[in-house]
Each structure stands twice: as structure tokens, then as C-alpha cells.
Amino acid sequence: MNASETLFNLRLIPLLPFLGAAVLILFGRRWKREAVLTVAAAAIGGSALVAFDAFFTRLPAVAEEGGLRDVVWTWMSTGNLSVDLAFRMDALSGLLCLIITFIGFLIHLYSAGYMEHDPDYPRFFAYLNLFCGSMLVLVLGDSMPVMFVGWEGVGLCSYLLIGFWYHETPNADAGKKAFITNRIGDFGFLIGIFLTFQATGTLRFSEITSFATAGSVLTAPAWLGMSNAFWIGTFLFIGAAGKSAQIPLYVWLPDAMAGPTPVSALIHAATMVTAGVYMVARMHAVYVLSPAALAIVALVGAATALFAAVIGFAQNDFKKVLAYSTVSQLGFMFAGVGTANFASGVFHLYTHAFFKAGLFLCAGSIMHAMSGSGDIRKMGGLRKLTPWTHGVFLVCWLAICGVPVFSGFFSKDAIVAGAFATGIFGDDLSWVGPTVGVLLLLAALGTAFYMSRLYFLVFSGPTRADAQTQHHIHESPPSMVGPLVVLAVGAGLGGLVGVPGGLFGHPEWNLLGHTLETAVGPELDVPHNTELLFMAVSTVLALIGIGLAYTFYGGGYRAPAQKFAAAFPGFVQLVRDKFRVDELYGAVIIRPLRKFALALFRVVDRVLIDQILVGGVAALVDVLGRVSRAFQAGDAQRYMAAFAIGAAALVFFATRPTVPSTLKVEVSGTTVSVDASRAGRASPRGLTYAFDFDDDGRPEVVGLKSDARYTYDQAGEHTIRVTVTDPRWHTQSKIKRKIDLSAAGERK
Amino acid sequence: MIFDSSQILAYLPMLILIGMGCLILLAETFATTATASRQGLAWLGVGGCIASLGALLAQWGDAGQATTHFQGMLIVDRMALYLDGAFLAAALLTLLFAPPFLREQGFEFGEFYVMVLFGAAGMMMVAHAAHLVTLLIGIETMSLAAYILTGCWRRNLRSSEGAMKYFLMGAFATGFLVYGMALVYGTTGGELSYAGIAGKVPEASKNPVFYFGEYFILIALAFKVAAVPFHMWAPDAYEGAPTPVTGFMAAGVKAAAFGGILRILDTAFGNPLLVFDFTGWANIIVVLAAATMILGNLAALRQDNIKRMLAYSSIGHAGYILVGVAAMGLGVTTAKPAVLFYLMSYTFTTLGSFGVIAWIGNRRDERLFIDDWAGVAQARPGVAMAMALFLLSLGGVPPTGGFFAKFFLFRAAMESPQLYWLVVIGVLTSVVSIYYYLRVVIAMYFRDPLRPLEPTDAASTRAALILTAMAVLLLGILPGSFIEWAGPVIGK
Amino acid sequence: MGILAWITLLPLAGALLTMLVPREEEAIHRGIGLGTTIVTFLASLFILGDFDPAKSGFQLEVDKVWVESLGIHFHLGIDGISLWLVMLTTFLMPVTLLSPQAIGTRNIRVREFVIAMLALEAGMVGAFLALDLFVFYVFWELMLIPMYFIIGIWGGERRLYASIKFVIYTLIGSLLMLVAILYLYAQYHAATGTFSFDYVALSRLTLPYDPQLLCFLAFGLAFATKIPLFPLHTWLPDAHVEAPTGGSVILAGVMLKFGTYGFLRFALPMFPLATQAMAPVVTALAVIGIVFGALMAYVQNDAKKLVAYSSVSHLGFVVLGIMTLGQVAVQGAIYQMLAHGISTGGLFLGVGLLYDRRHTRKLDDFGGLWKKIPIFSACFLVIVLASVGLPGLCGFVGEFLILIGTFNAPAGALFSSPKLLAIISASAVILAAMYLLTMYQKIFFGPLDNPANKDPHVRDIHGRERWVFGFVIVAALVMGIYPQPILARSEKSVAALISGFQERLADAASNPDAPAHLFPNPSAGAAPSAAPANAGNSGKPGPTAP
Amino acid sequence: MPTFYYLILSFVLFLIGTTGVLLRRNALVVLMGIELQLNAGNLAMLTYSRALGDEKGHVFAFLIIALAAAEAAVGLAILVGLFRNRQTINLDEANLMKR
């Protein structure tokens, strides 16, 4: 499409991790750990170098013209469908590439320490490399199918990594659950692809973007009065909801924490789960054509943000809290892109990557210290015992709570303010923006509360761990702390690339928004007053949340927390049980499906088809076989009797004149014409036909002709009898038929 | 009445067989009880068959044009010679299969071989018959030989019982045949030759008695081919007869009777007046064919005695061939060659399979039940493979002669739209037949042996098995010449 | 003789050679079997080299008279559709014979096994290549016999039942197909005065509607049984469970494809009106099969049965793709056939290996095997994922093309609501993940707590086994990442097929009661350009059923 | 119409023969019934021959007589064989083979 597309070896970016994975799978088992780590880190590091080089030195020159493109080969081309195995880097995918390779590299380093004692060390790094490669394919994919390759690839890696410690059944179950839930989303994604192809005739993002203009077929009504763009957006969003853990498909993410913690940080916080947000941003051109689809995205996002935050209030597992926090933050991102504020959604994705990765790695570090346990009820007072981790966690905590200057503040504020300010929904859906905004504000309050609860319960006050565990508590090795510090810097200062420079009269200060403009359109223009108002409001809410949490949990479980739990035991339990959504799914979908399939197997497959249909035919043949044998009684005279009877029957039937099985009768008025000849055959020679129309025993018409006409005096029921005689043999055949003249007349 | 050498030459194959039979009878009086001299009798018979075959081949070239002899009583044409070949093959193979069997069972008499030769001569007579007299003589020669052969296993209860049933019913059918011939003779105004009858048909068909005559002859011939409902002798006679004889009967007698049917229906009763319409024999044949295919194959399903199973299967095959006869009646010119090819292929297949059945047993242990065949493939893979080949051929699976036989037959029948449904019945019953044929294959290949195999092994049996297997394969891979010799394959 | 005749007859020659070697020399028998199949595979690479992707018609034809008077010719030829199926056959054969588990647990009568497998290969290759309907039928039946023996001799407990069920099911359909072939032959003669079984000639014959329908049903029954289409599928689980590994691999990998190949090559082009009329039924059955097979697989406890039912589901996709008769979907269907051959073949090889190690196939008996046999577990995972349809592996391309092609088929062209069908079928991507991953998890994940699984006999793959799985995985990967060479070679033939179908349909629909006549311009006239697949067949009302 | 009467007689004979075959248990009597059938054929043949003034019918009748003799010879031999094995020639007792 774009004449100035520039070729660049983008393929190296995903290829290096893939190669790393392949090498590790094939040879890693025999290598030393250092060698494994070197290969893995080199693969992702090399990939990062290429990505940085591409993004900073090559991309700016061509960003306006659609970015860099690298076609490996034609993947599938047949009929009117043509898909290249091609990669494209524009500002959006470039940014994601940077995040993935950079954080991925950090997590590789971190894992070196974290997985030190694991016997499956090479396998872990192979998976990690495989994941990075798939994720890079996902973001760099030039067309929807290529993206789908990465999309499924990361799902696979997620499956493998969640179930990394496969020998424990719950882990394996969690992996399977993640994969299958993701597949439900993929189903939606696939339908979205089909719809897109049907509407636009292409699957390349750049072509879709240029095709998606207001008057195109995308805005034409397609089904149920909604436009193509709406259905594409909705189905794609199902895919996004699956991958990014939105209502109703979020259930897999909390379980996914069964995987090693670095995996949770990389896959289930920083990168893979944001793929849905990325995809919506990627398809922004289609989404903006359908405010209704955007409204669904925004509302689901906002609802998820709040719902997950509430569940986060009562979780007692460190990583579970972070998991629900991730779900909630993803909701923010969707709310951002769903209000057509794509840059802010991506901005939050970017800041979230840092602070959530940081939080998870802190969690890993602390669980490392706590001998693997993640129960926050047994923690407390870790501030002094693990000072570096505490410091990093502090920064990240403030960032996620939205305390000013920290990264989360800017990105969250951009989303909230955008929700109130957006004009995308027009008049019909004008309520969506404010609703989303209010939900997000509540969610922000909740975020501040549960994150603070986590912080206070873990780090403040005296430790609640038992003596043995306490004895082991120690700060993590430098290989783990180093990446933590880097992430903390990112979490603390990363927001500065997206400061709302417009407030200060310097829009160019918003580096991120400026960069992304080429890829997802200009940032939403928010009035300065609104911007300032919501900055203030969210700051206040963050502080309220923190304060409230301090009242409840500062230095351990305080009296108000216990009182609250005592006052609403049912509600607290319900929240702790995550509103029992998993159980609901189990009871409503999964178990019935299995039972249904089992019943189908037993009834339809075994009984109906195999026994009744097939077995029935076989049994019938068998019975006929037995019957045929029964004639053969062994007595020669019976044989001869059969012979004689057969001969007699043969002679008898061979000398009967043949008549048709039914008479052909044509009626007009009260006149009937009857044809007694056999269908399609000439009348046999020499036969006499006697037609008795009035059933009085005396034929009215007699002759050699096989047809006759007769007119009745009156309507009513009549019986026609035809007797066919062969004069040579004096053999006869008879046939009769009843006719109802009046009815026949009426029918005519 | 003028005899000339050409007439004698034309019937040389038949005469050689008869002469050789007489020679064996004579020779036997001089033969000692030693095995070797008995064997010599059998080899005499084999020699007779080969000489006869040579005489047959010598006149093949001249037989392109049909010639009648003896005032229209006998005819020489390609069809007759083709069938003669089948009869000779049947006799030859029987003479190869039988001696070890007879020796093992202890009733090796020279008369046995004589009867085989005489029976074959009778079959030839039927195939050549163009006159009711020769037809009757042929059928009776063949049948009497068959009765004797069936009953010749004197100490065996089943043999004498089978012979009795076969004989009584056969004679009963002969009664019908003779009576039918008398009626036809009278109503056609004194015609006995096929050509003469055909000439009088327009006149005679006005007389209902003529139809009685026609039907009675038809019934008698249907009895010989074991068409339902005239089939009931077949299972008992086949089971009772000594196994090599069963093969001879199933192949030769059936082929001869079909030869007779084909010729008499084609020439004497070939007038459309007799074929079509409700009184036409086409109707009758169609019904007989359907009933025969269905009942034969269904009844075979539940048989555990392999001879009995093959007996019912041979009834089923008669049904298939009747489809071809019906097609011929409906004007399909390619039907007759198809039937002939079927008979040829069926001859080899049946003889081969009964040869294996004769081979597998011994004096103490006949191994006639399918379960007795367990594990044959492990002990004797070659014979098992041959048997599997025969069974697959009977079932009509490529690449065997049986497949092409069915194929040609159904192909011919498909030229007549009235027969589509018959073809469908044919293929469905073929599926049924595959089921019971495969029971034997299952036993041979898929089961482990129950007890050691002690077959009645002999060089002649092996040679015959190799011959038959090769023939079945040859018919299945290169059927071209065989079908073309049988007559025009392309109609219209 | 042309190369096509060679690759058909080479396996037979190998079989004959095997027969001559004494029974005791099992190593030699295996060697001959493997060698013959490898040589055949290498020979088939020559076909690939000689094949001209720019042509739509048949290439490299071999035409020898067989039965002259009946117009039966030993006529072989290859086009873009059969090319890859032949390659699949020749590829899977050596891979299967390489596997030590091919013969299954009844490790007896190696010679016969090799002979049967080689005869099977000859039958399959011949049937794919046959351009004479009679020859096709002969080969079609020919492959039945070796497979029958393979199931019956080397099969499991209930092998007798399974083998006879397999034969009877298959025969009913195929014999009716024979009747239909004979009918076509007679009609061709009636229309032209010449006799021929030639595919190209007979496919020009346009029949009136009613006979078309009957012929379609006769052919369709044969093919639907082979596929197997719901509800004719119940022989498949039995046959697969009882067959030895090699039998299962070939049965699932290649033989099931004959059903779909038959639809594509014979039933559709020859009977356009009937296709149009029956398409709703066939597609409905296909979609039912997709979902039903997946659900059945979901509740199986026997790994082989599970894989067998998954075949029902996967082949349903192929039928769906074929019946849309759009370029994309048909290409996808062909691709899916190949992919299914690789992935399901691999699955059966894997299950066979597990059975060899553990002597059970019950999922509940396994657990935690990854710890014990990691390399095999990884290999099996790749194959499972290929079967699930993970992008980047072979399974995805076919499914994707089928679904996108079906989804975008014009409504009312051949069936009423392609979108709905595509959406229902797409749900199988979820179900496939459910049953296959459940299987995988039950075998390889979880604690290694069954003592039988700790037995030292449970060894990881080694030696030849590594090569077997290596080949399968490489094929799955290559086909997933770089499918275009395959698609490109079948492109023209598929386009010709579809445009030919549309023209024939128009011709037949112009007067559905016209007597049998020859379509004036055979497939050679089909527009070779990548014709818009779905154009031209919209809005043409089908004839009402009689 | 004497010809007609003879024909009726021959047909009646045929029926009597058939009835005898079907009803009598003794194989010898059954054989007699069959002879009766053959002779019914003979009678019909001769009747026609005489009515038509055609000699062939006579020849045929001789043939049938010879044939009946041959059949009787073979048949009696078979019955003797059966009797030796079973000590009876009642048909309903010879049913070793069935189904």
C-alpha cells in the first residue's frame, strides 16, 4: 500500500528468541546452567538490541508512512486471500517491542536467580524464549493471521509456563484452564478475522486502517441492525477479553499464578495479558467507526476494573492480590481504548508493565524469602528484613495507587479524564463516558485500598511468620534485586514520557502521545480544566484509599478490619471466594457440557447408531439368515414339496395378467377416466378389460382397451372395479379404487 | 443319416472323454490294488482331459461360425466350446484333487474317474445341445454321473443320504423336464429341435399348454442350477458328496445347466412373445434371481460347516448368473459373454476352494467346521493365501476373477434399466457374502491354531492349487482375452 | 512407463520381493519394507520436480490399455489435488514402517505385515492417481484387503469384530459406487456411442437431475463412510482402537482422505445438480460431525478412541470446506487433509508408543509421564498442538482457510447460512483444545503416582523412534510455517475444478430434465486465472427435490 | 376329442405321480411315483406323436424308457447303499443333514 515502506530485518526480533528456544530445547538438557542462561539472555538481549535500533534509528524516519515492514515470505495465498508472513513496526508495535524485549530481558536475568535450584532450568528458559518470540510475533504481525500466530503462541507458552511445575495437578489444571479460556477468546478473534476479511477483503492492518473510513462498507448495517464494524469490534473484543482477562473470561488469570513468579511478572502482568489492549488499539480505525462496540469495550473494561478491585480486597495470597490487580488494571486499559483514548490506554499499558512487573518480582523475591509461601497473613514487618525489595515495592505501590509524579498517576489520569471528556459516543450513548469514568474512579479508590492493604500487611508492623520461616527470611541475591531496581526506576519515572504537556503549554512534552500519534491517532484532547479536576480527584481518592487501608491494616490487622469482617461475614466470605464465579461456570457450563457429551456418547453413538441402526441391520440380516436356514429341515420330501409348491406358484403367477398397483384416475366434474395399463408399458396383447364403475357387479365397459371413461349421475363416493382377463387362460386379476367425486371436485 | 469326419471331429473332445472313460473301466479290471496302479487310472483320466482340451483348441478357430450337426441335434459354436473348456478344467482339476482324497478316505475306485469323465461328457452334450433329445441325454448323463459320484463314498452316512436326496429330487425334476418336453413337442406340432420350436412359437404361443411345457423345462433347468425355490437339494448334496465331487458338481453341473438355459432360452424360446409381458420368462428369471441371491447368501451366513456354507454360496452365485440370464432375455447382447466369463471364473474359484477343503482334512479329522480352520495361515501360508484368494474371488473383490465376473455381469445388466434394482440387490447381497467368506479368512489368519494341521498332502493337489490360483489371478488381472473369447463384450 | 506407474508398482514389487525371503529373516523383511517405501518416497519427489504448477489439468499421465473391448485403461495422472495426497502417502509410509511400534503388540508375522503395508501403499497411491473410474474402483477395493488383514491379524482384543465392521461398512458404500460407475458408463455409451471409464470423459457427462441424485448418493455413501461422516462413523473408533499402530496411522493419515478426495474428485464435479441439492444435508452432517466428534472425544478414556473421534471432527472440517466449493475453502480442505494426516498420524504413533511402554491406553492409568520420558512428552506435545490447530503448526492453516472460506461463501450459493455453519464449526477450536489438552494432561502432567509408570520399561524414545517423531514434527512445523508451496501447486487445479463445477452447474441447471449429454467443453477450458471462487453461483435456484 | 382325453389322463398320471412322491415315506414308492411322472410324459409324448402323425415322439418315448431304466438302476443302487448304512429307506429318517 504505502510506497515508502521500508524493509528492515524485523524478522530478527522474534527469530532470535525462537532460535534460542529451539537450541535450548534440543541441546539445553546437557548444558550447564550458565550456558543455558547465556543463550537465553543473549537471544532476548539481541532481540532487544535490534528492536531498540529499529525503533530509535530507523523508525522515526518512516513512522509517518506506516513504519518498517519485513516480508519473510508468502504464508498463505489462495483465491482472494493472501497473507504474507510479514512483520511491521510502527510506533505502537515498536513501543510494545521495546517493553517486551526490555522487561523480558530483565526477567531473564531475574529468573537466573529465582530458578537457580530448579531441575528444569533449561526448559524454563526455552519456554521463556519461546514466549518472547511469540509475543514479538504478536505485536509485530503485519496482518491479523500473523498476529493470531503470536496470539496463540503466547497462549501456548502461558499454558506451558503455568503448568511448569506439572507434577502438581492444580498447576496443570490451571494451565489447561488458561489455554481453554483463551481459546474461547480465540474463537471470537477468529470470527472477527472472518468478518474483517469479508468486509474489507484484506487482513493487513495497514490496509484495514486505510479501508476503514466513514462511508465504507464497515459502517453499513450487517446483522441485527448493527454495522460490520460493530460486529468486528465485538468479536475481536471477545478475543481480547479472553487474552486480557476481562469479564466474563477473566477466571483463568488468578489461577495462572500457579506458574513461577517471573512468568507471572512477564506474561501475566507486563506483556501477554495486554495483548488484547494492543489489539484493540491496533484495530482502532475499525473501532472508531462503531461507538457501540467501543462502548462495550469501555463498559466491560470499567466493570472489570471495579469488580476485580473488589475481589482484591479480601485475597490473602500475595500473588492472587496482584493477579486481581492485574485484571483490574487491564480493565483500566480497556476503558481507555474503549473511550477512543487509544494513546492513553497504551500509555497505561506501558506504565503498568513496569510497576506490575516490579510488584510481581517483589512478590517473587518475598516468597523466595518466605520459603515459597505467599500467604500475606503470615507476613508483616518485611520492610527491615528485605530493604531493597521493600524500596522497589514502595515505588511500584505508589505508582499503581496513582500518587502524583509516579508513572501510574499520569496514565490512569489520562484514562479517567478521557472517559469524561470523550465525544466518541455521540448523543445516543452519551451516558457511557461518564459511567465509565465513575466506575474507574471507584476502581481507582479500590486499587489504592487493596494495594495499600497488601503493602501494610506485608511490610509494616511486626512479622507474623512462624519462627522457622522467620529465621530464613533474607534479601534476594543481586541477580534478582538488580532487575527490581531497574523496574522501580521505570515505575517511578516512566510516566514522565507521557506527561500531559498541554497543561503547561508544551504538548511536545508528551513524548509518548506524540510518538503514538502516527499509529493510533492523536491523543484525546482533554480540556485543561477537566484534566486538572480529575488529577485532583484521583489524587484525593488515592490518598483516601491509602488512608483507609492504613486504618484497617497499618501495622497488621487492626481493630476496624476485624470489626468489619465480623459485621459482614457473608459478604467478606463471598468476596474472598471471588464471588464464586468459578463454581458458577463449573455448574452451568463445564459439568453440564461433560454430562451432555457423555449422554450423547452413550445414547446416540453407542445405542442409537451402533446398536439400533447398525446392529439392527445386522440383526435383521441375521434373523433372515436363520429363517432361510429353517426351510432346510433335512427331509427330502419337504424339499420336493417346496419344489412342487414353487413350481405351482411360478406357473400360477406367471399366468396372471399384470395390473398396475393403483389405477390412474382422472376426474373432471362427474366424468372419470380410468387407465388400467401398467405405467410406461404398452397394453399387453389379448387382454380383456372390464370396468365396473357403479359397484353393481356388472361391468359398464368391456373391451380390449385398457382405459375407459364414465360419467356418473351424481357426485359422491364410488368404487371402481377393473377386472383384467386373459382369454387364453381364463385367468383374472382385479383391482379397485374408491373415489370421492365431491371432494375431488372441490380440490380442483 | 450321413456321418462324415468333420462331424466326428467336431465332437472329438466329448468322444475322447467317453473313450477314455471306457478305457479306464477296462484298465481297472487289470489294475492291481496297489496304489500306484490306481494312480495310473487317474493319470489316464488327466491325459484324457488334456487330449480333449487339445482337440477343443484345435477347432476353436473354426467355431467362429456356429455349425449344426446330426440334423440339428448338436451345435458347435464358441459358447459351447468356451463352456467345454470350463468343463474340462473342472474335470481335470477334480482328477487332480480327488486321488489323494480318495486314497486317504479309502475308496479309490477307477469308476470314480470314469464317472467324472462321463459327467464332463454329459455336460458338453448339454452345452452343445440344440435339440430336446440331446438336451435330455446330456442332462441325464451328467446327472446320473453326479448322483453316483455323490453316493460313492459308501461308508459315509452323509454321502449316501446326500446321494439319495439328490437323486430323488433330480429324478423328480427330470419328470418335470420330460413332461415339459412332451407338451412343447405337442403344441409346436412335433418340433424337438430348438430352431424348429422357435419357428413355431408364434403359432404355439396361442396355446396355454405350450406355456406349461416351457415353464416345466425352465423349472427343471432351474433345479439343476439350484435356483430358489428349487435349490433345496444343493446344501445336502454338496455336504454329503466327497469334497472333490462337491467342487465338480458346484462348478461343472451348474455351468452346464446354465449353458443349457442360455441356449434354450436364447434360441428355442427367444421370441419376444415368450420373453416379455406377464407370461414372459424374463419376469420369472428376474424373480428367481432376486430370491436366489437373497436366500442363498442369507442362509450361508449362519453356516458353520464350510462345505454347506459354500453350497449356499453357490446358490447365491446362481442368483447372480440368473441376473445375466435375465439381462440376455431383455436384449442385452453382452450378457451372454458375461455369464460365460462368470461360469469360467466360478469354475476355477469353486474347484480351488473345494480342493483346499479336500486338502485340509484327513481320515480322522475332516476339519469341515470353520473353527477347525483356525491358524491355517501360520502353518501353511501358501495354501491359506490360495484359499483367501478363492474366497475373495467368490466375494468379488479385486484383483480376482470373481471380481471381473461380477463386474462384467453387472455391467451387462446395467444396460437394461429394468434390472437396476436387481443389480442393487446383487451388490448388497455381495456384501453379505463377503461377511461369511471372511469368517473363513478370519479363522485362517486371525486365530491361533487349536490343533496341529495334518493335511492330505500330495503333489497333484499342490499342482492343482497352483493352477487354480494362477487362473483366478489371471482372470482377475488380465481378463481381456477371456471375456473376448466368450463373445462380443460391446453391445449395440 | 511413467513415473506415476513406477510409484504405484514399486511397493508391489517390494511386496513380491518380501514374499521371496524366508519367513525367519524378519530384519530383512523390515529392511525391504522400509527400503521400498523410502525409494517410493524419493521417487515421488521426482513427481514434485516434474509437476508444473501453472497447469490446471492432469499431468505426467500414463495410459495403457487394460481391457480394450470395455474401454478400460490403466490411466494414471496427477494434478494439484492428488499431488499432495500422494506425497502424504509416500511420506507417511516410511515414517510408519520406521516406527518399531508399527506392527503393534502382536509382534508376529513380520513378513506378512510388510507385505500388507506395501500392498496398502500401492492401493492408496493407485487410487489417488487413477484417472479411470474402473481402475480407481479396483485400487479402492485393493487397499481394503491389506487394511482388513492389518487390523485382523495384528490388532487388539476385539480385532475380529473391528475388522469385519470395517470391511462391511466400507463395502456397502463401495459396491453401490460400483453400480453408479456402471450406470455412468452405460449412460456415457448412450450419449456418445463409445465406451469409456475415463475420468475426464465421464466427468463431461451431464445427467438429468434424478439419476444425478442417485449417483451422488451412491458415490456419496462410499465416500461418507470412508471419511467418516456422521452418522456413519461408528466403525472408525473400533477400527482404530483395535488396529496396530501402523494400521491406525495409515488408516487415519491417508485412508480417511479417500472419502474427501472422492467427494472432491468425483461426486462434486460429476453431479453438480445433485451436489447443489444435497449440499445442505452434507454440510449439516459435516458440522454435526465436527461438534459431535469433538464432544465424543472429550468423554473418551481410551487415548486411541479419543484420537479416532478427533478424526471425525477434523474430517468434518474438510467436508465443510469442500462443499462450499470456494477457492479458499477447498484449498483449506486439501491442506487440512494433509495436516490431519501428519498430526493424527503422529498422534497414533505416539499413542502406539505409549501402549508399547505401558500396555494400556486408558488415560486414567497414566499421569506424570513427563518426568519419566521428557523427550517423548515434548514431541507428543508438538503433535497434540498441531492437531489442536495451533498457528505455526500444520493444523491451523487448513482450519483457518476452511473457516474463512466457508464464512465468506455467499449465502444461498450451496447452503443457506455459511456464516452460521462456520461459527458452529469454529467452536471446535475450543473443544479441540479441551479434549486434546485433557488427554495430554492426564498422560504427562500431574504426579507420577502410578507405580506402573515408574517401571524401567517405560523408556524415553531412542534410536529410530526419535527419527520417526522428528520427521513428523518437522513436517508439522514446515507445513505450519511455509504452506505456500503446497497451496500454490494445488491452486490452479482447484480453480479449474470450481469454475468447471460452476459451468457444469449452469449447464445442468438450464434444463435439469434434459437427457444425458456431454458437457461441451471439458475441464481444459476452465479459466486458469485465480477465478473469484464464489462468483457466478449466487442466486441460482436449485431444482426442487423430486 | 380322444387326444384331449389322453392328455388329461397323462396330466392326471403326472399329478398322481407327484402326489405319490410327496406323500409316501418309503423311498421305493417315491421312486415309483417318479416313474409314474416319467410315464405321464411318455403318454403325452405318444399322444401328440400319434395325433400329429410324427415319428419323433415315438423315438423320444423309447429314449425316456431307457432313461427311466437307467435312473431306476442308479437310484436303486443308491437306495441300497443308504439301506446298508441306515437299515431303513424311509425318507423322513434320513435327515442327518439339515439347516
Side-chain angles (χ1 to χ4, degrees), chain B residues 377-378 397-399 403-404 407-408 411 414 420 427 431 434-435 438 441-442 445-446 477 484 489-490, chain C residues 23 66 69-70 109 134 137 141 145 148-149 152-153 159-160 164 167 171-172 175 179 182-183 185 195 197:
Chain B
Q378 292 174 35
V397 177
F403 165 70
F404 268 101
F407 170 75
F408 290 140
R411 193 202 71 74
M414 288 296 287
Y420 288 170
V427 298
V431 177
I434 290 284
Y435 178 83
L438 287 187
V441 175
I442 286 174
Y445 278 90
F446 302 173
I477 294 171
E484 278 149 28
V489 218
I490 300 295
Chain C
R23 217 189 315 181
W66 187 3
S69 47
L70 286 175
R109 289 145 92 183
F134 182 80
Y137 180 79
E141 294 279 289
I145 307 164
Y148 168 69
F149 280 104
I153 297 181
R159 58 182 187 277
L160 304 186
I164 202 82
V167 167
L171 264 186
I172 293 179
L175 279 168
V179 176
L182 290 174
Y183 176 81
Y185 178 77
F195 286 102
F197 280 105

Side-chain angles (χ1 to χ4, degrees), chain C residues 2-208:
Chain C
I3 179 79
L4 297 188
W6 276 114
I7 68 159
T8 313
L9 298 178
L10 258 176
L12 278 185
L16 283 177
L17 191 63
T18 316
M19 275 185 211
L20 299 177
V21 179
R23 217 189 315 181
E24 297 74 33
E25 307 287 344
E26 296 194 349
I28 298 182
H29 296 134
R30 285 184 197 270
I32 293 176
L34 194 59
T36 311
T37 49
I38 288 174
V39 170
T40 312
F41 176 66
L42 295 178
S44 68
L45 291 178
F46 281 102
I47 302 182
L48 205 55
D50 292 348
F51 187 84
D52 180 0
K55 286 189 197 158
S56 64
F58 292 102
Q59 308 185 23
L60 309 171
E61 288 181 57
V62 175
D63 197 343
K64 296 258 187 278
V65 176
W66 187 3
V67 183
E68 185 165 22
S69 47
L70 286 175
I72 300 175
H73 287 224
F74 189 74
H75 189 183
L76 305 179
I78 201 162
D79 71 349
I81 298 170
S82 50
L83 171 70
W84 292 106
L85 291 166
V86 170
M87 295 298 296
L88 175 73
T89 314
T90 55
F91 171 75
L92 268 186
M93 262 297 168
V95 170
T96 309
L97 285 179
L98 190 62
S99 162
Q101 282 83 37
I103 198 165
T105 44
R106 282 168 66 89
N107 196 3
I108 48 166
R109 289 145 92 183
V110 174
R111 179 169 69 163
E112 282 88 343
F113 184 76
V114 169
I115 294 172
M117 288 296 270
L118 290 175
L120 187 62
E121 180 171 18
M124 294 190 300
V125 170
F128 277 133
L129 292 176
L131 286 186
D132 183 289
L133 261 72
F134 182 80
V135 177
F136 169 75
Y137 180 79
V138 169
F139 279 121
W140 172 277
E141 294 279 289
L142 258 187
M143 60 188 173
L144 180 67
I145 307 164
M147 185 46 92
Y148 168 69
F149 280 104
I150 287 172
I151 298 175
I153 297 181
W154 296 278
E157 292 280 296
R158 296 170 70 229
R159 58 182 187 277
L160 304 186
Y161 171 76
S163 58
I164 202 82
K165 198 169 177 183
F166 165 73
V167 167
I168 297 295
Y169 255 89
T170 317
L171 264 186
I172 293 179
S174 61
L175 279 168
L176 287 177
M177 176 170 81
L178 177 64
V179 176
I181 290 176
L182 290 174
Y183 176 81
L184 284 177
Y185 178 77
Q187 291 301 308
Y188 183 79
H189 174 239
T192 64
T194 53
F195 286 102
S196 177
F197 280 105
D198 195 74
Y199 169 71
V200 179
L202 285 185
S203 60
R204 284 174 65 199
L205 189 68
T206 305
L207 298 174

Side-chain angles (χ1 to χ4, degrees), chain B residues 177-223:
Chain B
L177 182 65
V178 166
Y179 199 74
M181 284 178 173
L183 296 184
V184 168
Y185 166 74
T187 48
T188 51
E191 292 295 345
L192 283 172
S193 73
Y194 293 177
I197 293 171
K200 293 286 176 63
V201 159
E203 195 63 25
S205 67
K206 289 177 183 148
N207 186 348
V209 178
F210 173 75
Y211 286 91
F212 274 102
E214 181 201 345
Y215 295 158
F216 276 23
I217 293 174
L218 213 55
I219 286 167
L221 290 172
F223 169 87

Side-chain angles (χ1 to χ4, degrees), chain D residues 8-83:
Chain D
I8 292 294
L9 177 65
S10 86
F11 191 65
V12 169
L13 266 182
F14 188 80
L15 285 184
I16 292 171
T18 310
T19 318
V21 166
L22 295 184
L23 296 184
R24 300 307 294 263
R25 290 275 173 259
N26 190 308
L28 276 178
V29 183
V30 170
L31 199 54
M32 287 177 194
I34 290 170
E35 294 295 320
L36 217 50
Q37 284 183 316
L38 291 175
N39 284 323
N42 255 343
L43 182 58
M45 193 63 98
L46 290 171
T47 310
Y48 278 125
S49 180
R50 172 122 180 117
L52 297 167
D54 183 79
E55 304 301 322
K56 290 196 290 289
H58 289 95
V59 179
F60 206 127
F62 281 119
L63 184 71
I64 294 172
I65 291 166
L67 190 146
E71 282 208 337
V74 170
L76 287 173
I78 287 172
L79 292 185
V80 167
L82 184 72
F83 184 78

Side-chain angles (χ1 to χ4, degrees), chain B residues 143-159:
Chain B
S143 300
L144 288 173
Y147 304 149
I148 294 168
L149 285 173
T150 307
C152 70
W153 192 355
R154 271 177 268 168
R155 67 172 173 81
N156 187 306
L157 271 179
R158 287 167 190 270
S159 174

Side-chain angles (χ1 to χ4, degrees), chain C residues 10 16 46 128 197 237 299 360 405 423 493 502 513:
Chain C
L10 258 176
L16 283 177
F46 281 102
F128 277 133
F197 280 105
V299 293
T360 179
I423 290 175
S493 298
Q502 306 297 1
D513 296 321

